[in-house]
Amino acid sequence: MQDRRTFGKLSAAVAATMAFGRHASAADEIVIGYHGPMTGPASWVGLGGRDGALMALGEINAAGGVNGRMIRMISYDDAGKASEAEAVAKKMIESDKVFAILGGGISNVAIVVAEEAHRGKVPYMNGSGASPKIMDLKSRWTFSGATIDVRDIAENAAIFIGDYLKVKKVAVMNGADEFSQSLSDNVVRLIKDRYGIETLTRQRYNPGETDFSSQLLAVKQSNPEYILMFGLYVEAARAVRQSRELGIKTPIKGDTSMMNLGFLTVAGAAAEGMIAEYLPLYFNGDTAKDMVEFESRYKKLFPSYPVDRPNYVDVYNYGNMYAFAEGMKRAGKDLTRKGLVEALETLNNYQAADTWPKAVNLIQPLTFTESHNGNRRLSFFRVTNGAFKPIADFKVPVPSTKFPQNASLNW
Amino acid sequence: MELVPQLIVSGIAAGSLYALVAIGLVLIYKATDIVNFAQGESVTVGAYMGWLCITQFRLPYFVAVVLVLAGSALVGMIVERVAYRPLLKSPPFTVILATLAVGLIIKNAIRLVWQDTPRTISGVFSAEPIEIGSVLITPERLAIMFTVALVVALLVLFFRFSKLGKAMRATAQSQEAASLMGISVPGIFSKTWALGSALGGLAGVLIAPLVGINTELGAVLVPGFVAAVVGGFTSIPGAIVGGILVGVLENLGGVFISSSFKQVVPFVVLITVLMVLPTGLFGKPLRKAV
């Protein structure tokens, strides 16, 4: 009964946070703007980011909000397009006058929103964009939470390929999108410079592509020890499936995008043995206490959740929203945007459950005391019996990239 | 060069699906003079129907295929009746815009219900490759190629020997003459849209086990459209040749030029064909009495 009442309170709180269309920020509430692609091929990013944030928001509001004020979230679909993201950001800042913005957008969109947030002096938590261009803006208003900069992803991946896989010849297949292109460029350079690993061929594919035989046959002909695959997961899953159809038995290593139930659904048995990297601590279905609790609450809140959800972006923004709320709490009752930024910069090795008893810890601990890149680590997983299982015998050291220190960022 | 046979066979496998989409476009265009830009969404609808039948209603794959054919045909008839028939006397540009709108409506309606989350269905044929000479191909891709060939053969028989097929051909040649011969032109339009949609739906349910199902499946319209234009847009054999040509050239271009260039190749072919043969490979020159 207690559970039912708690869930009722949580649902009501989430419903309140989803009350779209209200504009003015009342004295008893804090309005957060959210953007992400909720339609189109990358909609799983935007929808996941929105729902993870809403779940955290429901819990935060059910626990009394932040310093007595409720948080409300206004969500906008940016369709994964920079032009639409710019309009959405302007609307949130100038018309809705949101207090802060949380992103669930892909990199090309996050860059645009970060620029607008800087111009409008609005705190922006980049939820899932990994392009270096986001943090290279050197804006004091922009934070990267659970997600990590592509340079860090690349270094984590390069160390794994060099030290764990210990291969000398690879073939690369990457999507034509900004994230995949940028990440694959960095990994190819790093594995060559640090380990002398030769990239025998690089093949590109486009979003929405359904036939990969030409790229895969070019890869097959190059006879690599490993195939490194980068790209949005639907296309990658199709390519992995088709690789086995073409008799390619070479093992495949994917990237963060492929850690997704939808990937496993489409790739099917062809994904068995494949390796991919991940930012959250656990993958869906993991038996760790926090993950079991998260999935249980998620399924109650979103009973008709789709097959590939909750995905990692749900998890990112669940953690990011808690970090935002913690910053607001630390900024005190006289909450200002600048105060929020300065309070976020005090988070050190922070996990949500440290200060919010109902929260569960799913993302790597966040530290903003030195730079605005809160997380820098990845974990590696292998598909075993149809599920991603952690590779326990390898832990990547903190990457070497030096990000701008907080004091050097521009207001 | 040892890759060439494999590239050609894989290209034919991909191209046979483009051909199916192209045939749907050609049938509707021949009968109604409308280029149906919603044909890609017929593919999407077919895939989702197949998914519903197999995973939600637990029906066997072959039963699902039959239901998809019937369901897609019904959707085609309804769309024709609701969206296109009222525009029968409108300029062609208006109707083309209407097809674009219908495509968007269908895609977004699916998104509203199921979001963009990918889904999949299991086919009945193995995805394990078999070796034929130096070429690998899976039974499920062979089954698709066989199905497309069977459909084409049935269409040829249908148009040559059935009363309805003859009426469709008559309407395609001259709506006025067909009407004078007692053929209900609106009725033929309706049945043509049903047939075109059914072919799109069939493509969807065939491709779904291989590539999964999401709302972007309709993107197959682009190579299908190129195939239809290359083939002449009024010719079913042209659509088949065009589809296979596009599939094969995509593959060859992807390997021997660049993977980045892969999707540009069909358009280069399209422009080249239209410059040399403005009516396409199998199209007949349009003659107008003045």
Side-chain angles (χ1 to χ4, degrees):
Chain A
M1 194 63 188
Q2 180 62 37
D3 275 359
R4 196 172 292 175
R5 242 180 279 137
T6 308
F7 177 65
K9 259 168 81 179
L10 182 59
S11 301
V14 170
T17 63
M18 292 176 77
F20 306 128
R22 291 163 61 195
H23 295 288
S25 183
D28 61 347
E29 69 176 13
I30 300 161
V31 180
I32 302 281
Y34 173 81
H35 74 92
M38 294 184 226
T39 53
S43 62
W44 56 276
V45 178
L47 293 168
R50 180 196 67 187
D51 293 346
L54 281 172
M55 185 170 156
L57 218 54
E59 291 172 13
I60 292 161
N61 286 343
V66 173
N67 299 325
R69 294 166 75 181
M70 297 293 118
I71 305 177
R72 179 163 65 87
M73 194 169 90
I74 305 173
S75 301
Y76 288 103
D77 177 16
D78 61 33
K81 293 175 185 163
S83 56
E84 293 200 27
E86 187 179 347
V88 160
K90 283 192 161 87
K91 183 168 189 330
M92 286 192 287
I93 295 166
E94 292 165 16
S95 172
D96 297 330
K97 301 194 186 307
V98 298
F99 180 75
I101 299 172
L102 175 64
I106 51 179
S107 291
N108 61 324
V109 158
I111 295 163
V112 174
V113 178
E115 283 169 353
E116 291 300 322
H118 184 77
R119 259 193 287 278
K121 299 190 183 305
V122 174
Y124 175 51
M125 182 72 78
N126 161 41
S128 52
S131 167
K133 291 176 188 167
I134 302 165
M135 301 311 285
D136 281 355
L137 292 170
K138 290 191 174 180
S139 171
R140 191 104 181 236
W141 300 99
T142 295
F143 291 80
S144 262
T147 186
I148 74 175
D149 188 284
V150 73
R151 286 164 289 197
D152 275 348
I153 298 179
E155 196 168 333
N156 274 268
I159 293 168
F160 180 82
I161 294 162
D163 288 346
Y164 187 80
L165 298 181
K166 297 184 192 299
V167 292
K168 286 293 166 203
K169 289 176 182 174
V170 296
V172 169
M173 277 186 70
N174 67 270
D177 57 289
E178 162 85 23
F179 171 75
S180 315
Q181 190 66 54
S182 166
L183 177 60
S184 56
D185 287 348
N186 278 298
V187 171
V188 166
R189 181 179 51 78
L190 281 169
I191 57 176
K192 174 76 180 165
D193 292 351
R194 291 196 186 176
Y195 300 96
I197 297 170
E198 193 183 349
T199 299
L200 302 169
T201 182
R202 285 194 72 173
Q203 298 292 316
R204 225 162 82 124
Y205 56 89
N206 291 296
E209 210 165 323
T210 53
D211 183 69
F212 303 85
S213 40
S214 66
Q215 293 97 325
L216 288 165
L217 288 168
V219 165
K220 187 179 183 180
Q221 193 180 35
S222 71
N223 196 25
E225 292 172 65
Y226 239 91
I227 299 169
L228 308 181
M229 203 169 273
F230 305 87
L232 296 176
Y233 78 88
V234 175
E235 289 77 11
R238 289 170 179 166
V240 167
R241 191 183 193 283
Q242 206 178 353
S243 72
R244 304 316 184 210
E245 288 180 20
L246 290 168
I248 299 172
K249 294 188 166 57
T250 313
I252 299 173
K253 184 198 158 292
D255 68 7
T256 49
S257 310
M258 292 157 216
M259 292 286 297
N260 192 301
L261 283 175
F263 175 86
L264 295 175
T265 304
V266 176
E272 196 66 16
M274 186 177 158
I275 287 173
E277 60 231 21
Y278 205 34
L279 277 77
L281 301 171
Y282 319 103
F283 187 65
N284 304 57
D286 200 291
T287 49
K289 189 170 75 58
D290 279 346
M291 195 63 191
V292 170
E293 180 63 26
F294 176 79
E295 291 195 318
S296 159
R297 289 185 206 170
Y298 189 93
K299 286 165 191 175
K300 276 183 191 163
L301 197 57
F302 306 110
S304 56
Y305 68 97
V307 66
D308 62 344
R309 303 273 302 285
N311 61 32
Y312 69 89
V313 198
D314 285 270
V315 172
Y316 285 3
N317 269 356
Y318 176 84
N320 286 334
M321 183 52 85
Y322 265 109
F324 241 166
E326 179 61 19
M328 290 172 198
K329 195 159 73 174
R330 291 187 188 189
K333 283 194 178 297
D334 299 324
L335 183 62
T336 63
R337 287 171 173 153
K338 200 172 175 186
L340 170 60
V341 169
E342 287 167 347
L344 283 170
E345 288 175 349
T346 67
L347 297 187
N348 188 6
N349 216 22
Y350 175 75
Q351 290 197 291
D354 295 348
T355 51
W356 297 87
K358 291 280 182 192
V360 290
N361 292 331
L362 298 169
I363 61 171
Q364 305 273 2
L366 297 179
T367 297
F368 292 121
T369 49
E370 291 174 9
S371 79
H372 281 202
N373 295 66
N375 172 36
R376 310 204 48 196
R377 282 177 190 279
L378 288 174
S379 303
F380 292 86
F381 293 71
R382 188 192 301 273
V383 180
T384 311
N385 298 323
F388 282 107
K389 300 281 165 57
I391 295 173
D393 58 342
F394 188 79
K395 195 164 175 71
V396 177
V398 174
S400 61
T401 310
K402 299 285 176 221
F403 291 110
Q405 298 294 290
N406 291 348
S408 69
L409 299 172
N410 303 313
W411 283 111
Chain B
M1 289 304 281
E2 71 266 29
L3 280 184
V4 172
Q6 181 70 63
L7 285 167
I8 290 173
V9 170
S10 297
I12 293 171
S16 57
L17 276 165
Y18 302 160
L20 209 50
V21 177
I23 294 169
L25 283 167
V26 166
L27 284 180
I28 291 171
Y29 179 75
K30 277 184 78 169
T32 65
D33 283 341
I34 294 171
V35 179
N36 178 23
F37 283 104
Q39 185 67 12
E41 274 59 49
S42 299
V43 177
T44 314
V45 167
Y48 274 91
M49 280 184 184
W51 169 75
L52 276 176
C53 290
I54 292 165
T55 62
Q56 306 297 303
F57 303 123
R58 310 273 171 210
L59 296 172
Y61 184 78
F62 289 118
V63 177
V65 170
V66 173
L67 289 176
V68 165
L69 282 168
S72 297
L74 186 64
V75 170
M77 288 173 88
I78 292 169
V79 168
E80 188 274 337
R81 190 71 188 83
V82 173
Y84 305 135
R85 198 175 295 181
L87 301 173
L88 216 52
K89 305 235 180 286
S90 305
F93 185 66
T94 309
V95 186
I96 286 171
L97 280 181
T99 67
L100 283 169
V102 165
L104 283 172
I105 289 167
I106 291 173
K107 189 195 263 191
N108 286 298
I110 293 171
R111 278 188 179 137
L112 272 178
V113 181
W114 292 299
Q115 303 183 346
D116 280 281
T117 307
R119 290 148 211 280
T120 190
I121 53 177
S122 301
V124 286
F125 296 99
S126 167
E128 284 299 312
I130 50 173
E131 204 166 349
I132 304 171
S134 61
V135 169
L136 287 173
I137 191 154
T138 61
E140 62 181 2
R141 287 203 188 259
L142 274 175
I144 289 175
M145 289 158 75
F146 174 76
T147 307
V148 173
L150 182 67
V151 165
V152 170
L154 289 174
L155 280 175
V156 169
L157 293 174
F158 170 75
F159 282 114
R160 190 158 295 173
F161 298 112
S162 77
K163 203 173 164 185
L164 181 59
K166 287 176 185 170
M168 282 180 172
R169 281 168 58 203
T171 308
Q173 280 176 13
S174 167
Q175 291 173 18
E176 196 180 351
S179 182
L180 288 170
M181 297 302 291
I183 295 169
S184 162
V185 172
I188 291 296
F189 278 9
S190 174
K191 292 178 181 82
T192 306
W193 279 96
L195 188 56
S197 293
L199 289 175
L202 179 65
V205 76
L206 289 177
I207 200 175
L210 278 69
V211 301
I213 302 161
N214 69 357
T215 53
E216 299 301 318
L217 265 188
V220 76
L221 172 74
V222 177
F225 181 78
V226 173
V229 177
V230 168
F233 228 103
T234 52
S235 161
I236 290 176
I240 298 160
V241 172
I244 289 170
L245 198 63
V246 169
V248 171
L249 290 174
E250 267 187 357
N251 271 1
L252 294 174
V255 169
F256 295 113
I257 302 174
S258 159
S259 55
S260 308
F261 200 68
K262 183 182 168 187
Q263 292 189 316
V264 180
V265 171
F267 293 100
V268 173
V269 175
L270 175 71
I271 292 165
T272 310
V273 167
L274 289 183
M275 281 169 70
V276 180
L277 294 163
T279 54
L281 294 175
F282 291 76
K284 289 181 182 145
L286 187 68
R287 291 197 181 90
K288 274 191 176 175
V290 287

